Protein backbone atom coordinates (compact mmCIF):
# COMPACT_ATOMS: atom_id res chain seq x y z
CA UNK A 1 0.00 0.00 0.00
CA UNK A 2 2.52 2.66 -1.07
CA UNK A 3 -0.03 5.49 -1.23
CA UNK A 4 -0.95 4.82 2.42
CA UNK A 5 2.60 5.36 3.62
CA UNK A 6 1.90 8.47 5.72
CA UNK A 7 -1.33 8.51 7.73
CA UNK A 8 -2.12 11.24 10.26
CA UNK A 9 -3.69 9.86 13.45
CA UNK A 10 -5.02 12.18 16.13
CA UNK A 11 -5.49 10.67 19.57
CA UNK A 12 -2.95 8.03 18.60
CA UNK A 13 -1.95 7.48 22.23
CA UNK A 14 -5.51 6.64 23.26
CA UNK A 15 -7.11 3.22 23.57
CA UNK A 16 -8.42 2.79 20.03
CA UNK A 17 -5.85 5.20 18.56
CA UNK A 18 -2.83 3.21 19.79
CA UNK A 19 -4.27 -0.01 18.38
CA UNK A 20 -4.87 1.74 15.05
CA UNK A 21 -1.25 2.90 15.04
CA UNK A 22 -0.05 -0.67 15.63
CA UNK A 23 -2.28 -1.91 12.83
CA UNK A 24 -0.93 0.73 10.44
CA UNK A 25 2.65 -0.21 11.28
CA UNK A 26 1.90 -3.90 10.73
CA UNK A 27 0.81 -3.02 7.19
CA UNK A 28 3.92 -1.05 6.37
CA UNK A 29 2.40 2.41 6.83
CA UNK A 30 4.05 5.40 8.47
CA UNK A 31 1.79 6.81 11.22
CA UNK A 32 2.14 10.53 11.98
CA UNK A 33 0.73 11.39 15.41
CA UNK A 34 -0.38 14.80 16.60
CA UNK A 35 0.23 14.70 20.37
CA UNK A 36 0.54 17.14 23.19
CA UNK A 37 4.04 17.35 24.63
CA UNK A 38 2.96 15.98 28.01
CA UNK A 39 0.75 13.18 26.64
CA UNK A 40 0.79 9.66 28.08
CA UNK A 41 2.47 7.36 25.52
CA UNK A 42 2.48 4.10 27.46
CA UNK A 43 0.21 2.33 24.95
CA UNK A 44 2.69 3.13 22.15
CA UNK A 45 5.70 1.37 23.64
CA UNK A 46 7.81 -0.56 21.12
CA UNK A 47 6.01 1.01 18.14
CA UNK A 48 7.67 3.20 15.53
CA UNK A 49 5.82 6.40 14.66
CA UNK A 50 6.45 10.07 13.92
CA UNK A 51 5.28 12.74 16.35
CA UNK A 52 4.15 16.29 15.65
CA UNK A 53 3.72 18.00 19.00
CA UNK A 54 0.81 20.38 19.09
CA UNK A 55 -2.83 21.04 19.92
CA UNK A 56 -6.01 20.14 18.08
CA UNK A 57 -7.39 23.66 18.31
CA UNK A 58 -4.22 25.26 16.89
CA UNK A 59 -4.53 25.75 13.13
CA UNK A 60 -0.78 26.02 12.64
CA UNK A 61 -0.19 22.73 14.50
CA UNK A 62 -2.84 20.97 12.42
CA UNK A 63 -1.31 22.33 9.23
CA UNK A 64 2.15 21.01 10.18
CA UNK A 65 0.71 17.62 11.08
CA UNK A 66 -1.41 17.08 7.98
CA UNK A 67 1.15 18.27 5.42
CA UNK A 68 2.36 15.29 3.41
CA UNK A 69 -0.43 12.98 4.63
CA UNK A 70 -3.06 11.84 2.17
CA UNK A 71 -5.15 10.10 4.83
CA UNK A 72 -6.39 11.24 8.24
CA UNK A 73 -7.84 9.14 11.08
CA UNK A 74 -9.32 11.51 13.65
CA UNK A 75 -9.55 9.60 16.95
CA UNK A 76 -8.87 12.36 19.47
CA UNK A 77 -11.83 13.06 21.74
CA UNK A 78 -12.90 14.08 25.19
CA UNK A 79 -14.73 11.05 26.55
CA UNK A 80 -16.53 10.38 29.80
CA UNK A 81 -20.11 11.15 30.71
CA UNK A 82 -19.99 14.25 32.85
CA UNK A 83 -19.51 17.93 32.14
CA UNK A 84 -21.27 20.61 30.10
CA UNK A 85 -21.68 20.42 26.34
CA UNK A 86 -19.29 23.34 25.78
CA UNK A 87 -16.53 21.44 27.57
CA UNK A 88 -16.85 18.64 25.03
CA UNK A 89 -17.42 20.75 21.91
CA UNK A 90 -14.00 22.39 22.20
CA UNK A 91 -12.39 18.98 21.64
CA UNK A 92 -15.03 16.84 19.93
CA UNK A 93 -16.74 19.32 17.60
CA UNK A 94 -14.72 22.43 16.83
CA UNK A 95 -11.49 20.81 15.53
CA UNK A 96 -13.30 19.09 12.64
CA UNK A 97 -14.19 22.54 11.30
CA UNK A 98 -10.46 23.30 11.15
CA UNK A 99 -9.64 19.99 9.53
CA UNK A 100 -11.95 20.31 6.53
CA UNK A 101 -10.20 23.22 4.75
CA UNK A 102 -6.78 21.74 5.54
CA UNK A 103 -7.79 18.40 4.06
CA UNK A 104 -8.87 20.21 0.91
CA UNK A 105 -5.62 22.19 0.86
CA UNK A 106 -3.49 19.02 0.96
CA UNK A 107 -5.83 16.90 -1.21
CA UNK A 108 -6.51 14.33 1.53
CA UNK A 109 -8.10 11.25 -0.04
CA UNK A 110 -10.04 10.07 2.99
CA UNK A 111 -10.89 11.53 6.38
CA UNK A 112 -11.93 8.87 8.87
CA UNK A 113 -13.86 10.25 11.83
CA UNK A 114 -14.10 8.07 14.91
CA UNK A 115 -17.57 8.73 16.24
CA UNK A 116 -19.51 6.68 18.80
CA UNK A 117 -22.40 4.24 18.75
CA UNK A 118 -24.20 6.74 21.01
CA UNK A 119 -24.89 8.71 17.81
CA UNK A 120 -27.33 5.98 16.77
CA UNK A 121 -30.39 4.40 18.37
CA UNK A 122 -29.74 1.17 20.22
CA UNK A 123 -31.74 -2.00 19.72
CA UNK A 124 -32.33 -5.24 21.58
CA UNK A 125 -30.84 -8.72 21.21
CA UNK A 126 -33.28 -9.72 18.49
CA UNK A 127 -33.08 -6.42 16.61
CA UNK A 128 -29.82 -4.59 17.44
CA UNK A 129 -29.32 -1.00 16.35
CA UNK A 130 -28.00 -0.22 12.88
CA UNK A 131 -26.53 2.71 10.95
CA UNK A 132 -29.96 3.77 9.65
CA UNK A 133 -31.28 4.51 13.15
CA UNK A 134 -31.20 8.15 14.17
CA UNK A 135 -29.74 9.99 17.14
CA UNK A 136 -31.77 9.66 20.34
CA UNK A 137 -32.94 13.22 21.18
CA UNK A 138 -32.67 12.74 24.95
CA UNK A 139 -28.89 12.28 24.53
CA UNK A 140 -28.61 16.00 23.84
CA UNK A 141 -28.15 16.13 27.60
CA UNK A 142 -24.96 14.09 27.26
CA UNK A 143 -22.10 16.45 26.46
CA UNK A 144 -20.05 13.60 25.03
CA UNK A 145 -22.70 12.00 22.80
CA UNK A 146 -24.17 15.27 21.53
CA UNK A 147 -20.80 16.87 20.77
CA UNK A 148 -19.79 13.79 18.76
CA UNK A 149 -23.12 13.84 16.94
CA UNK A 150 -22.71 17.52 16.02
CA UNK A 151 -19.27 16.80 14.55
CA UNK A 152 -20.60 13.77 12.69
CA UNK A 153 -23.48 15.74 11.18
CA UNK A 154 -21.17 18.59 10.16
CA UNK A 155 -18.87 16.18 8.33
CA UNK A 156 -21.71 14.31 6.61
CA UNK A 157 -23.15 17.62 5.47
CA UNK A 158 -19.72 18.52 4.03
CA UNK A 159 -19.87 15.26 2.09
CA UNK A 160 -23.35 15.89 0.72
CA UNK A 161 -22.73 19.55 -0.15
CA UNK A 162 -19.06 19.61 -1.12
CA UNK A 163 -18.08 15.98 -1.65
CA UNK A 164 -15.76 15.92 1.37
CA UNK A 165 -14.32 12.35 1.55
CA UNK A 166 -15.41 11.48 5.07
CA UNK A 167 -16.14 8.04 6.49
CA UNK A 168 -17.78 7.72 9.92
CA UNK A 169 -16.70 4.85 12.16
CA UNK A 170 -18.74 4.37 15.34
CA UNK A 171 -17.28 1.87 17.81
CA UNK A 172 -19.27 0.45 20.69
CA UNK A 173 -17.72 -0.34 24.11
CA UNK A 174 -14.04 -1.19 23.55
CA UNK A 175 -12.22 -3.95 25.38
CA UNK A 176 -8.71 -5.29 24.91
CA UNK A 177 -5.06 -4.23 25.34
CA UNK A 178 -3.64 -0.71 25.47
CA UNK A 179 -6.09 1.25 27.65
CA UNK A 180 -3.38 3.25 29.42
CA UNK A 181 -5.71 6.05 30.50
CA UNK A 182 -8.37 3.61 31.74
CA UNK A 183 -11.24 4.81 29.59
CA UNK A 184 -13.67 1.97 28.90
CA UNK A 185 -11.25 -0.30 30.80
CA UNK A 186 -12.57 1.12 34.06
CA UNK A 187 -15.56 -1.20 33.79
CA UNK A 188 -13.34 -4.25 33.33
CA UNK A 189 -11.08 -3.21 36.21
CA UNK A 190 -14.15 -2.66 38.39
CA UNK A 191 -14.96 -6.33 37.89
CA UNK A 192 -11.37 -7.50 38.31
CA UNK A 193 -10.47 -5.48 41.41
CA UNK A 194 -13.82 -5.28 43.17
CA UNK A 195 -15.01 -7.43 46.05
CA UNK A 196 -18.60 -6.23 45.83
CA UNK A 197 -19.66 -5.38 42.27
CA UNK A 198 -22.81 -3.35 41.78
CA UNK A 199 -24.13 -3.51 38.23
CA UNK A 200 -27.01 -1.76 36.42
CA UNK A 201 -29.91 -3.51 34.67
CA UNK A 202 -28.91 -2.78 31.05
CA UNK A 203 -26.20 -4.03 28.72
CA UNK A 204 -23.65 -3.05 26.06
CA UNK A 205 -22.10 -4.16 22.82
CA UNK A 206 -18.52 -5.08 23.77
CA UNK A 207 -16.07 -4.92 20.86
CA UNK A 208 -12.50 -6.22 20.67
CA UNK A 209 -10.40 -3.07 20.24
CA UNK A 210 -8.00 -4.85 17.88
CA UNK A 211 -10.89 -5.83 15.61
CA UNK A 212 -12.16 -2.24 15.65
CA UNK A 213 -8.67 -1.01 14.75
CA UNK A 214 -8.38 -3.54 11.92
CA UNK A 215 -11.75 -2.49 10.46
CA UNK A 216 -10.75 1.18 10.75
CA UNK A 217 -7.59 0.68 8.71
CA UNK A 218 -9.55 -1.41 6.20
CA UNK A 219 -11.84 1.60 5.75
CA UNK A 220 -8.94 3.58 4.29
CA UNK A 221 -9.29 1.51 1.13
CA UNK A 222 -12.60 -0.36 1.42
CA UNK A 223 -14.94 2.10 3.13
CA UNK A 224 -17.45 4.14 1.12
CA UNK A 225 -17.24 7.90 1.59
CA UNK A 226 -20.32 9.48 3.10
CA UNK A 227 -21.13 6.22 4.91
CA UNK A 228 -21.36 5.34 8.60
CA UNK A 229 -20.14 2.03 10.01
CA UNK A 230 -20.96 0.68 13.46
CA UNK A 231 -17.93 -1.17 14.84
CA UNK A 232 -19.96 -3.37 17.16
CA UNK A 233 -19.13 -6.57 18.99
CA UNK A 234 -20.75 -9.06 21.34
CA UNK A 235 -24.02 -7.89 22.93
CA UNK A 236 -24.08 -8.76 26.64
CA UNK A 237 -25.99 -7.64 29.69
CA UNK A 238 -23.91 -6.17 32.50
CA UNK A 239 -24.69 -9.28 34.52
CA UNK A 240 -23.33 -11.54 31.78
CA UNK A 241 -20.22 -9.35 31.50
CA UNK A 242 -19.44 -9.38 35.22
CA UNK A 243 -20.35 -13.04 35.63
CA UNK A 244 -17.73 -13.87 33.01
CA UNK A 245 -15.15 -11.84 34.94
CA UNK A 246 -16.16 -13.55 38.20
CA UNK A 247 -15.83 -17.05 36.73
CA UNK A 248 -12.47 -16.40 35.08
CA UNK A 249 -10.66 -13.73 37.11
CA UNK A 250 -12.33 -12.80 40.40
CA UNK A 251 -14.17 -15.81 41.87
CA UNK A 252 -14.72 -14.26 45.31
CA UNK A 253 -16.54 -11.19 43.98
CA UNK A 254 -20.14 -10.67 45.05
CA UNK A 255 -22.44 -9.36 42.31
CA UNK A 256 -25.37 -7.16 43.29
CA UNK A 257 -27.84 -5.80 40.73
CA UNK A 258 -29.03 -2.22 41.17
CA UNK A 259 -32.83 -2.50 40.86
CA UNK A 260 -34.73 -0.14 38.58
CA UNK A 261 -36.66 1.21 41.55
CA UNK A 262 -33.43 2.45 43.13
CA UNK A 263 -32.19 4.38 40.11
CA UNK A 264 -34.51 7.38 40.36
CA UNK A 265 -33.71 8.09 44.05
CA UNK A 266 -29.98 7.77 43.29
CA UNK A 267 -30.18 10.28 40.45
CA UNK A 268 -32.27 12.73 42.51
CA UNK A 269 -29.73 12.66 45.35
CA UNK A 270 -26.86 12.95 42.91
CA UNK A 271 -28.33 15.98 41.17
CA UNK A 272 -29.04 17.70 44.49
CA UNK A 273 -25.37 17.20 45.39
CA UNK A 274 -24.41 18.54 41.96
CA UNK A 275 -26.42 21.74 42.46
CA UNK A 276 -25.17 22.27 45.99
CA UNK A 277 -21.49 21.83 45.15
CA UNK A 278 -21.71 23.12 41.54
CA UNK A 279 -19.77 20.16 40.17
CA UNK A 280 -20.58 17.85 37.26
CA UNK A 281 -21.02 14.26 38.36
CA UNK A 282 -21.43 11.02 36.46
CA UNK A 283 -24.51 9.81 38.37
CA UNK A 284 -27.07 11.89 36.49
CA UNK A 285 -30.38 10.96 34.86
CA UNK A 286 -28.98 10.76 31.34
CA UNK A 287 -26.15 8.42 32.27
CA UNK A 288 -28.36 6.21 34.38
CA UNK A 289 -30.81 5.96 31.50
CA UNK A 290 -27.96 4.79 29.27
CA UNK A 291 -26.90 2.22 31.86
CA UNK A 292 -30.46 0.92 32.14
CA UNK A 293 -30.87 0.30 28.41
CA UNK A 294 -29.91 -2.66 26.27
CA UNK A 295 -27.35 -0.77 24.18
CA UNK A 296 -27.05 -3.43 21.53
CA UNK A 297 -25.84 -2.86 17.97
CA UNK A 298 -25.13 -4.79 14.79
CA UNK A 299 -21.80 -4.89 12.94
CA UNK A 300 -23.27 -6.47 9.80
CA UNK A 301 -22.40 -3.53 7.53
CA UNK A 302 -18.81 -3.35 8.84
CA UNK A 303 -18.45 -7.12 8.38
CA UNK A 304 -19.70 -6.97 4.81
CA UNK A 305 -17.79 -3.88 3.66
CA UNK A 306 -14.79 -3.58 6.00
CA UNK A 307 -14.17 -7.27 6.65
CA UNK A 308 -14.63 -6.72 10.38
CA UNK A 309 -14.15 -9.76 12.61
CA UNK A 310 -16.67 -10.83 15.24
CA UNK A 311 -15.67 -10.28 18.85
CA UNK A 312 -15.02 -13.24 21.11
CA UNK A 313 -15.47 -11.77 24.59
CA UNK A 314 -13.25 -14.45 26.17
CA UNK A 315 -10.34 -13.54 23.89
CA UNK A 316 -10.88 -9.80 24.29
CA UNK A 317 -11.00 -10.05 28.09
CA UNK A 318 -7.91 -12.25 28.12
CA UNK A 319 -5.92 -9.68 26.15
CA UNK A 320 -7.21 -6.89 28.39
CA UNK A 321 -6.32 -8.80 31.56
CA UNK A 322 -2.80 -9.60 30.33
CA UNK A 323 -2.14 -5.96 29.42
CA UNK A 324 -3.50 -4.51 32.67
CA UNK A 325 -1.57 -7.11 34.68
CA UNK A 326 1.68 -6.27 32.88
CA UNK A 327 1.36 -2.59 33.75
CA UNK A 328 0.20 -3.09 37.35
CA UNK A 329 -3.42 -1.96 37.02
CA UNK A 330 -4.68 -5.13 38.70
CA UNK A 331 -4.70 -5.51 42.49
CA UNK A 332 -6.35 -8.91 42.91
CA UNK A 333 -4.21 -11.40 40.98
CA UNK A 334 -6.41 -14.50 41.22
CA UNK A 335 -5.33 -16.00 37.94
Amino acid sequence: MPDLERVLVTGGNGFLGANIVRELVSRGCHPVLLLRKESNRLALQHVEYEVIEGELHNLRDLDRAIEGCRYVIHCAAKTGQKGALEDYKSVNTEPVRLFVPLCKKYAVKRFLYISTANCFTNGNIEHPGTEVSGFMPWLRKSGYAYSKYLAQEFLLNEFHVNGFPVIILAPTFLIGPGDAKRSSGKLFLHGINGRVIFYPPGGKSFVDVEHAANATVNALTDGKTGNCYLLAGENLSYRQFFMFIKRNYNPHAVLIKIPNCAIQPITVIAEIIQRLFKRSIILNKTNWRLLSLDNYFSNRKAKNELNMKDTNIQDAMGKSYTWFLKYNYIRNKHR
Side-chain angles (χ1 to χ4, degrees):
M1 297 185 294
D3 60 337
L4 291 182
E5 187 171 321
R6 290 174 63 83
V7 181
L8 174 61
V9 183
T10 69
N13 63 323
F15 190 15
L16 178 57
N19 279 277
I20 288 172
V21 170
R22 290 179 182 277
E23 183 67 24
L24 287 168
V25 170
S26 74
R27 301 194 194 189
C29 300
H30 181 86
V32 179
L33 278 59
L34 177 64
L35 297 175
R36 294 191 303 271
K37 186 176 182 178
E38 68 280 6
S39 60
N40 182 335
R41 304 179 192 184
L42 176 64
L44 293 167
Q45 283 192 342
H46 314 300
V47 182
E48 291 187 9
Y49 56 92
E50 179 182 342
V51 173
I52 303 294
E53 291 186 345
E55 301 283 346
L56 273 176
H57 59 266
N58 187 304
L59 187 60
R60 184 177 297 178
D61 292 341
L62 290 182
D63 193 289
R64 287 190 300 116
I66 201 171
E67 184 177 6
C69 297
R70 302 300 298 278
Y71 296 85
V72 175
I73 304 176
H74 184 32
C75 293
K78 176 180 171 62
T79 59
Q81 292 290 350
K82 66 177 183 178
L85 175 61
E86 292 306 315
D87 296 334
Y88 287 90
K89 284 177 68 176
S90 63
V91 179
N92 296 349
T93 309
E94 299 307 325
V96 299
R97 299 179 183 274
L98 301 179
F99 263 119
V100 169
L102 289 175
C103 287
K104 294 176 181 178
K105 174 182 176 181
Y106 290 109
V108 165
K109 290 184 176 181
R110 296 211 169 169
F111 182 90
L112 272 54
Y113 179 67
I114 305 300
S115 184
T116 170
N118 289 153
C119 290
F120 302 89
T121 299
N122 63 289
N124 54 34
I125 288 290
E126 292 78 18
H127 302 287
T130 68
E131 293 83 357
V132 299
S133 62
F135 182 71
M136 294 181 282
W138 58 271
L139 274 178
R140 287 190 176 92
K141 294 182 179 180
S142 164
Y144 170 65
Y146 194 40
S147 64
K148 297 291 281 186
Y149 174 72
L150 291 173
Q152 177 175 302
E153 288 300 288
F154 171 78
L155 290 167
L156 289 173
N157 183 68
E158 280 291 320
F159 167 78
H160 291 299
V161 175
N162 300 312
F164 185 67
V166 65
I167 296 172
I168 306 295
L169 300 162
T172 55
F173 197 85
L174 299 164
I175 185 165
D179 193 4
K181 294 184 282 187
R182 290 179 297 179
S183 51
S184 57
K186 287 181 180 178
L187 190 70
F188 182 68
L189 289 171
H190 173 58
I192 292 292
N193 291 325
R195 290 299 185 186
V196 178
I197 301 170
F198 292 93
Y199 65 92
K204 285 185 181 293
S205 173
F206 296 90
V207 63
D208 187 316
V209 68
E210 293 182 335
H211 294 179
N214 180 272
T216 297
V217 178
N218 288 346
L220 291 172
T221 52
D222 301 336
K224 298 176 182 177
T225 56
N227 274 244
C228 300
Y229 296 91
L230 278 161
L231 305 184
E234 191 166 344
N235 294 317
L236 300 170
S237 69
Y238 288 110
R239 175 173 175 77
Q240 290 173 315
F241 179 78
F242 286 119
M243 279 299 296
F244 189 94
I245 293 176
K246 176 180 170 66
R247 287 195 302 267
N248 291 277
Y249 303 103
N250 192 3
H252 302 297
V254 176
L255 273 57
I256 300 176
K257 181 179 179 179
I258 303 170
N260 284 312
C261 62
I263 290 175
Q264 185 173 357
I266 290 172
T267 58
V268 169
I269 294 169
E271 292 189 357
I272 290 173
I273 294 172
Q274 179 174 282
R275 286 196 297 270
L276 287 175
F277 294 96
K278 302 186 185 307
R279 294 185 63 184
S280 295
I281 55 176
I282 199 166
L283 296 174
N284 56 51
K285 290 180 181 179
T286 302
N287 296 336
W288 271 113
R289 185 171 179 179
L290 270 175
L291 291 169
S292 301
L293 291 175
D294 292 336
N295 278 296
Y296 300 149
F297 293 92
S298 169
N299 67 353
R300 180 177 297 179
K301 184 177 179 181
K303 285 177 66 176
N304 290 340
E305 298 183 21
L306 305 181
N307 197 30
M308 185 177 186
K309 301 173 185 177
D310 281 325
T311 291
N312 179 303
I313 195 64
Q314 181 172 348
D315 292 344
M317 281 191 178
K319 290 183 289 187
S320 184
Y321 183 89
T322 298
W323 196 89
F324 280 132
L325 187 64
K326 178 179 179 180
Y327 292 103
N328 299 313
Y329 288 84
I330 294 175
R331 296 192 304 269
N332 302 323
K333 301 175 184 179
H334 300 291
R335 196 175 179 187

